[in-house]
Amino acid sequence: LSISLDLDREQNVTIEIFDLNGRKLYDFTNRLGAGKSTLNLNDIPKTTSSSLLISRVSVGDKIYTNKIMQTQE
């Protein structure tokens, strides 16, 4: 999973990934500088089958929520 951000100033960024039962599977927090950044999240735990996950990205005082489909290969 790659997440691209374009920050207008240095800010704290938190990325959380949840399963549909609300269990937190992944947590990332860091202070990122202004400009474009791409975060590659390669260490998200795999589920036993294809599943829908929820991402919550917090940048400063804004929160963005998205659905992610995790598939098994």
Side-chain angles (χ1 to χ4, degrees), residues 1-7 13 15 28 32-33 35-42:
L1 174 66
S2 296
I3 296 179
S4 296
L5 302 167
D6 190 1
L7 304 177
V13 174
I15 300 169
F28 167 89
L32 299 179
K36 294 182 180 182
S37 298
T38 299
L39 303 170
N40 294 309
L41 310 178
N42 298 323

Side-chain angles (χ1 to χ4, degrees), residues 3 8 16 18 33 36 40 47 56 62 67 69-70 73:
I3 296 179
D8 58 352
E16 299 167 299
F18 300 90
K36 294 182 180 182
N40 294 309
T47 57
R56 181 169 56 197
K62 296 185 179 175
K67 297 175 189 173
M69 185 62 169
Q70 184 181 54
E73 295 181 15

Side-chain angles (χ1 to χ4, degrees), residues 5-71:
L5 302 167
D6 190 1
L7 304 177
D8 58 352
R9 59 186 166 83
E10 184 177 336
Q11 296 184 67
N12 289 327
V13 174
T14 299
I15 300 169
E16 299 167 299
I17 307 293
F18 300 90
D19 67 13
L20 290 181
N21 293 320
R23 289 182 299 228
K24 188 184 297 186
L25 303 175
Y26 183 83
D27 192 2
F28 167 89
T29 301
N30 205 345
R31 189 153 184 89
L32 299 179
K36 294 182 180 182
S37 298
T38 299
L39 303 170
N40 294 309
L41 310 178
N42 298 323
D43 52 346
I44 296 172
K46 298 276 186 204
T47 57
T48 56
S49 62
S50 297
S51 61
L52 185 64
L53 303 175
I54 304 297
S55 70
R56 181 169 56 197
V57 179
S58 303
V59 180
D61 61 348
K62 296 185 179 175
I63 298 173
Y64 305 92
T65 304
N66 290 294
K67 297 175 189 173
I68 302 168
M69 185 62 169
Q70 184 181 54
T71 58

